[in-house]
Amino acid sequence: MGRHIAFSVVDLGHGNYAVDEHGRTVAIVTRQGFVDWLLRTPLCDGELVRELYKETHMCYTLGLKLELMTQAPRTLLTQVRFNLQDDARKLTIVAQGDSADQRFHSRTNACLLFDEEQGEYRWDLVTTLSCTADEPVDLPRIEYNNVYPGKAGRCFMYASQKEYHSTLIEAADGAIWEFPHQHLFHYSRKLDKLDFSSRGMAGFFGEQSGSPVVIVRRSSLPISWAICDMYYDLHCLARVSGPFTAGMSYQCEYTIRYLSPVESRQYQKRARRVSLTAGELREHDYPRLELGMNAFDAPVAVDRFDDASGFRPKPPARVWEKPADGKRGALRLSNPEVGENVWSAEPPTQLPPSSRLTLSALARTQDVSGKGFFVRVRYHTFEWYPEPHVEWADVLESMPLTGTHGEWTRIELPLLEVPPEDRDYLIWIDVVLDGAGTGWLTDVDIDLVRVRQAQQAIV
């Protein structure tokens, strides 16, 4: 490439750092021990981060998220050091942490360098977890990292921007298994039946320019994986066969990098799609929710790529009435006694900044008492301080219907305006029967309008 690579580390304040290279920020390291990897190659356009708007979390990832702390058992960052080597062509981050109960200590050496053969940056990591407990500790698993590619889990408001459509995982026998991205079927039962060794690969596939992967080079315990059914994050695990005692440790050596399009296609050609049984399909037969008109006449596709949210039925309180006339289905909520019955679309969806959201629907009721039957949007974000919590910014409700409305009646939510600065806000969409009786909902029309070009998330 003929370019001299020279990393530098800039203190952004409050325990956060930017890793820069030639006037652009390659990655951000936060005081939570998260790394937000923004640039995959020196040829990418990028910005120089001078101020951190908000620390990385699952709903606010600008690039690819990886972690310097272990997730299970959870260790908290206590110390981080940056070492520039080889005339600043290589940066090593040494992060140490302890669990809240002081029974475990973790250390991760994360080396960022430029791979001349690939023409891209890559991360070489070694994570060590040591037991410091006085008594043996039963660990069902060790999670040494959790990787999440940007835009993969923002849900149906961002469906058109989705870059990855499946996770590919390598088993011990070399077989490659494909798990399509969707939000409502968890693959734990499928993954638990696969055998893994002390080496392997897993990552996100579908983007035309390459695939981010985790490549385990060596692990002192057999590795394993888990895929979150809500956000698609890749849990990097080790299987534990017995209790941990003082002095015992686990170590994993692995690389996080992007495969080239050629490498990606080779894996995709070998991949076998994980199959769902007829029973699993029946168990996960949920009505879908997406942008536009929703007549509840089609299910979420849990056996293939699908970015829709869905409603999980729970008879007799929450029932999907499928279309009998070929036109529309409905959600039916019933309360034999006074109470609050809430049916939420899962998962919540992130809202683009500088946008306006409108939502209307058709409703019917029978003998509804109490507050009534209505739709609700809970507008919220995640905050780290003073303690990690969800912050509920606003709650919008349609006018509740009570009594009996035999004909379909239109109900509408107040307009939700998302300002430019709300870059990581989400909504839960709820159907609510607060009282007694029965309510039906159909033709949910969700409209999203971008008001103006959103500001950049980092400056």
Side-chain angles (χ1 to χ4, degrees):
M1 158 173 281
R3 173 174 177 156
H4 175 69
I5 302 297
F7 294 112
S8 61
V9 178
V10 178
D11 190 341
L12 298 177
H14 306 290
N16 304 302
Y17 300 86
V19 178
D20 298 337
E21 204 275 314
H22 275 22
R24 295 169 303 168
T25 298
V26 177
I28 298 167
V29 181
T30 77
R31 56 185 149 177
Q32 309 301 326
F34 294 158
V35 175
D36 200 345
W37 183 17
L38 306 182
L39 297 184
R40 56 187 287 185
T41 169
L43 299 179
C44 288
D45 293 330
E47 298 183 59
L48 182 63
V49 178
R50 301 181 186 275
E51 179 183 358
L52 193 61
Y53 164 72
K54 197 169 187 180
E55 291 184 42
T56 296
H57 56 86
M58 291 305 298
C59 301
Y60 191 62
T61 303
L62 303 177
L64 180 142
K65 181 182 78 71
L66 57 117
E67 304 196 1
L68 301 174
M69 296 290 97
T70 60
Q71 288 297 298
R74 177 69 171 139
T75 54
L76 306 175
L77 184 65
T78 58
Q79 184 184 71
V80 61
R81 302 194 311 273
F82 299 89
N83 300 319
L84 291 168
Q85 303 157 291
D86 195 15
D87 292 330
R89 286 193 291 265
K90 182 167 68 172
L91 168 67
T92 298
I93 305 172
V94 182
Q96 299 188 68
D98 296 300
S99 60
D101 59 13
Q102 300 296 308
R103 297 192 298 177
F104 289 95
H105 175 80
S106 71
R107 176 187 173 106
T108 294
N109 286 31
C111 178
L112 173 65
L113 50 84
F114 175 67
D115 188 323
E116 295 187 5
E117 182 178 344
Q118 298 293 330
E120 298 189 343
Y121 303 119
R122 79 164 193 259
W123 294 85
D124 289 338
L125 301 100
V126 179
T127 295
T128 304
L129 178 73
S130 303
C131 180
T132 56
D134 295 330
E135 298 179 353
V137 181
D138 288 323
L139 281 180
R141 65 179 185 181
I142 293 172
E143 183 172 343
Y144 57 88
N145 214 314
N146 183 30
V147 178
Y148 172 89
K151 302 181 183 179
R154 290 180 174 177
C155 306
F156 69 81
M157 295 293 182
Y158 278 87
S160 62
Q161 299 183 24
K162 181 69 172 292
E163 296 180 347
Y164 306 104
H165 59 59
S166 58
T167 299
L168 268 57
I169 297 179
E170 182 181 13
D173 60 2
I176 305 297
W177 291 96
E178 179 183 0
F179 299 83
H181 286 179
Q182 50 73 45
H183 288 294
L184 290 166
F185 181 86
H186 200 288
Y187 296 114
S188 294
R189 286 178 288 180
K190 301 293 184 181
L191 285 162
D192 286 345
K193 295 179 180 179
L194 295 179
D195 292 325
F196 300 99
S197 64
S198 60
R199 304 178 65 176
M201 181 282 302
F204 302 88
F205 288 74
E207 184 185 5
Q208 295 301 310
S209 60
S211 308
V213 297
V214 179
I215 301 172
V216 178
R217 304 187 304 274
R218 189 189 69 84
S219 171
S220 58
L221 290 169
I223 62 173
S224 184
W225 312 90
I227 306 167
C228 177
D229 57 342
M230 182 173 286
Y231 293 113
Y232 312 131
D233 45 318
L234 178 65
H235 300 273
C236 307
L237 310 174
R239 292 177 174 173
V240 181
S241 57
F244 262 55
T245 58
M248 292 182 64
S249 65
Y250 164 74
Q251 188 174 86
C252 186
E253 301 175 11
Y254 53 107
T255 293
I256 299 176
R257 72 176 182 92
Y258 279 83
L259 300 179
S260 69
V262 173
E263 292 174 303
S264 301
R265 286 193 292 270
Q266 291 173 346
Y267 278 107
Q268 288 175 292
K269 287 179 181 178
R270 292 173 49 199
R272 291 183 252 171
R273 174 74 61 85
V274 63
S275 60
L276 273 62
T277 66
E280 288 169 333
L281 290 172
R282 286 193 300 270
E283 182 183 352
H284 297 83
D285 187 24
Y286 306 144
R288 65 189 294 109
L289 185 73
E290 55 191 343
L291 275 172
M293 180 65 71
N294 296 267
F296 302 126
D297 55 356
V300 176
V302 294
D303 60 341
R304 60 187 184 277
F305 166 65
D306 194 348
D307 248 357
S309 288
F311 291 91
R312 298 177 191 259
K314 187 179 180 181
R318 298 187 285 275
V319 174
W320 178 22
E321 291 190 349
K322 298 182 181 180
D325 55 6
K327 295 182 180 179
R328 64 164 66 105
L331 304 181
R332 186 184 78 213
L333 282 73
S334 301
N335 277 348
E337 300 177 352
V338 173
E340 186 182 54
N341 186 357
V342 180
W343 198 351
S344 302
E346 302 174 56
T349 184
Q350 190 170 340
L351 288 170
S354 301
S355 61
R356 290 176 177 170
L357 179 77
T358 59
L359 189 154
S360 64
L362 295 179
R364 290 194 297 116
T365 59
Q366 181 178 330
D367 300 328
V368 171
S369 62
K371 180 177 179 178
F373 183 62
F374 56 96
V375 291
R376 177 177 70 191
V377 160
R378 290 175 288 156
Y379 184 53
H380 62 286
T381 187
F382 180 84
E383 297 287 354
W384 284 108
Y385 303 100
E387 296 291 337
H389 67 283
V390 172
E391 184 174 282
W392 302 99
D394 202 359
V395 177
L396 306 176
E397 296 179 352
S398 66
M399 186 69 69
L401 296 181
T402 58
T404 297
H405 292 261
E407 301 295 327
W408 290 110
T409 301
R410 182 161 297 281
I411 57 177
E412 296 182 351
L413 276 175
L415 174 70
L416 176 60
E417 295 194 69
V418 184
E421 60 269 19
D422 288 3
R423 302 172 184 132
D424 64 331
Y425 280 63
L426 299 96
I427 54 170
W428 279 105
I429 297 176
D430 305 326
V431 187
V432 184
L433 175 58
D434 191 349
T438 303
W440 291 263
L441 193 79
T442 191
D443 285 9
V444 176
D445 189 7
I446 304 174
D447 187 32
L448 183 72
V449 177
R450 301 299 292 271
V451 178
R452 57 189 178 275
Q453 183 64 38
Q455 297 178 0
Q456 294 295 322
I458 50 178
V459 292

